[in-house]
Amino acid sequence: MAAARVMQAWRKRQISLATLLTGLVSISVLLMLTILLFASYQSKKQSLYETTLTLNLSTASNMSKTMDSLFKSMRSSLKNAAHFYSLNRPMLPEDSEKYLDLIRNSSNYFNSIAVVDETGMISMISPKSVGTTGRQVTTAATKKALELQKPFISEPYMSATTKRLIVFISEPIFDSDGVYRGFIGGTIYLQENNILNMIYGNENLHDNGSYFYVVGSDGKLIYHPDKSRIATDIHQLPIVNKLLQGKSGYELTVNIKGITQLAGYSYVPENQWGIAVLSPISIIKEQLNSHLMAILWYTSVPFILLMLVTIWFARRLAKPFVELADVVSSIGKEAVPLPPERHHWNREADLLTKTLMLAMDGIKAQTDQLTQAAMTDPLTGLSNRRTMEEIMNRWTEEQKPYALLILDIDRFKLINDTFGHQEGDRVLQHLADIVKQSVNPGDICSRYGGEEFVVLLPNAAVKDAFAMAERIRTTMEESDNHLGQKVTISLGLAHFPTQSETAKALFLLADQALYKAKHEGRNQTVIAN
């Protein structure tokens, strides 16, 4: 009796072949799914990090270029005014007042403009309501401008009387004999209405939590979404320290509140300021969680179906062994007829193998789909920036000659602002179709980002690449589109290895050529020097 109870307990602990096979297959599939999720998570994380950092750097760079251009225009405006005063000395007070009002109101660059003579007396100021005409200059910035007798941009400083955050810009005035006669200077009230505040002061917060700030050459905040922090000294932050050294770039950083952020930052040469665009790391985590949930959702149904099929095949595979075990266990107890001969093993094993291959094919198809999605721009169907950069790097390492075209839609922001982003997306798709129809087989067409496209022409000479660029440009200009108006593009062209030895430098040359095409009137192709 004791032996029987031991045997019965032992049989209860035994695992059937069907359960064992089902368990093994289930564990294998779960492991593969786990590996897939982990690999996809890491790949997506790296991709999001690089994309966000690059996008923030691009945004900061564009903003710094805009600010640099603005300050150059401001200085040019003052320089022209100084020249005017040098040619029209002496000038009647009412004429001087009208001229200063004209400069201030026509450009919206400055909140006030003043002419100061060589003794430091304010001879005229606009607007007249400031009420300092006939007084001596008192601020450290104006005194320094008077002393230097050359173009000057001050550090942002707080006015002692009005408590305004001010930047002061001046140009010296010399008479026809070259004698110093004072300066003309403009003030920018950083927290009040002017062109800087219009561009940067109202677009600081974004829906995803990203924001930007502007820091002066002394390490103090000039613009920040939290206005209470303006004029705060943050030079101790690593990225601000690099901006003060005239550097630009992107990196993972931690702000003064201990929040990890993805930062892109760019230096403004004209006024020695810096612009930083930051995105909290929580944005990436939210996107990664959404990505994992999407994968789990799309794989759950195939996984359930696969498990049902696996159980069915496992039972079919185990059936001959069960029958054989029943026959063997009955030997010596009763007369048991042998079951008819069946070819269970080969047939069922083959079916099980096909099932596992089906599972592997399903996972591979999903992996290929994710890989394809990671290499393709979803809006235009062209290859994306990562694919383009990989091809450029590979061709460069192989020393394979190629031409690089960078295309950019002229005044695309105006199209978006006028017709909306959906119509703007249709313009991008229209240009993508023209590019694909214009290039030769083997050429690489990519959407680099925004309204910017890149075309790689393998083994193309400069003149052939230029002809291709012009064909794309003229086709775009002459083609009919849904907007009912002409849309043009500008192009920059560079060639490897005749113009550069690295992919990065080649892209910079083409980008500079594109900037030159924009600067010289748009709707043209410029070959990099």
Side-chain angles (χ1 to χ4, degrees), residues 21-39 295-296 299-300 302-304 306-307 310 356 359-360 363:
L21 291 174
T22 302
L24 289 174
V25 173
S26 300
I27 292 173
S28 299
V29 175
L30 284 172
L31 284 174
M32 287 187 288
L33 182 60
T34 301
I35 294 172
L36 172 66
L37 288 174
F38 180 79
I295 293 179
L296 289 173
T299 57
S300 59
F303 178 74
I304 292 173
L306 175 63
M307 291 309 305
T310 302
L356 293 175
M360 293 298 296
I363 294 175

Side-chain angles (χ1 to χ4, degrees), residues 76-89:
S76 176
S77 176
L78 290 178
K79 187 175 182 179
N80 291 335
H83 182 67
F84 177 85
Y85 271 97
S86 67
L87 296 178
N88 293 273
R89 297 188 73 260

Side-chain angles (χ1 to χ4, degrees), residues 51 54-55 57-58 62 250 377 380 382-390 392 404-408 428 445-456 503-504 507-508 511 514:
T51 301
T54 304
L55 180 61
L57 174 59
S58 176
N62 290 335
Y250 60 79
D377 175 59
T380 62
L382 301 177
S383 60
N384 59 17
R385 175 177 176 175
R386 169 177 286 186
T387 304
M388 179 272 296
E389 291 177 342
E390 290 177 353
M392 281 187 65
L404 169 66
L405 301 179
I406 301 182
L407 299 68
D408 187 275
L428 293 174
C445 307
S446 302
R447 181 185 177 197
Y448 190 76
E451 70 273 22
E452 200 168 73
F453 294 75
V454 173
V455 179
L456 302 178
K504 183 177 180 180
F507 191 92
L508 179 60
D511 192 57
L514 173 62

